[in-house]
Amino acid sequence: MPGNWDFYWDRLLSADDLAKNPLPDYEAPVPSVWNRHTIHRRQLGGTGYATYRLHVTGAKAGQPLSMRVLVYRSAACGFQRGGEHVPG
């Protein structure tokens, strides 16, 4: 799902954390790599951790949604609304 996703650098946020609607550090273009970006006047390196968040709109109630990730370059996990953990 290409587009701009909320990006929380140096934070691994749970579904409960995200329910509080924290402000993202910026909207990251996806697909992309974060070491091309700067946050708080600091160039991000190739190592670190972050949370990405996408708000999906326009979905029809009761219709299943899916997301296919072709490449993981590191460890990952996911959550859907309701907090269900989807290991990656």
Side-chain angles (χ1 to χ4, degrees):
M1 293 195 230
N4 290 330
W5 293 39
D6 291 346
F7 183 81
Y8 304 87
W9 177 248
D10 204 23
R11 294 187 274 173
L12 294 177
L13 302 176
S14 68
D16 290 337
D17 296 329
L18 292 170
K20 298 171 188 169
N21 291 314
L23 292 175
D25 292 301
Y26 79 105
E27 289 188 3
V30 173
S32 182
V33 293
W34 65 44
N35 58 354
R36 295 183 182 154
H37 303 286
T38 302
I39 295 179
H40 310 299
R41 296 186 209 136
R42 185 177 132 217
Q43 181 75 35
L44 300 183
T47 61
Y49 56 95
T51 298
Y52 285 88
R53 180 184 194 185
L54 175 66
H55 298 271
V56 177
T57 60
K60 294 182 181 179
Q63 293 293 315
L65 296 174
S66 64
M67 184 170 151
R68 182 177 176 191
V69 179
L70 299 177
V71 176
Y72 277 114
R73 296 179 189 247
S74 61
C77 69
F79 294 92
Q80 63 185 33
R81 186 174 20 173
E84 183 179 335
H85 175 253
V86 182

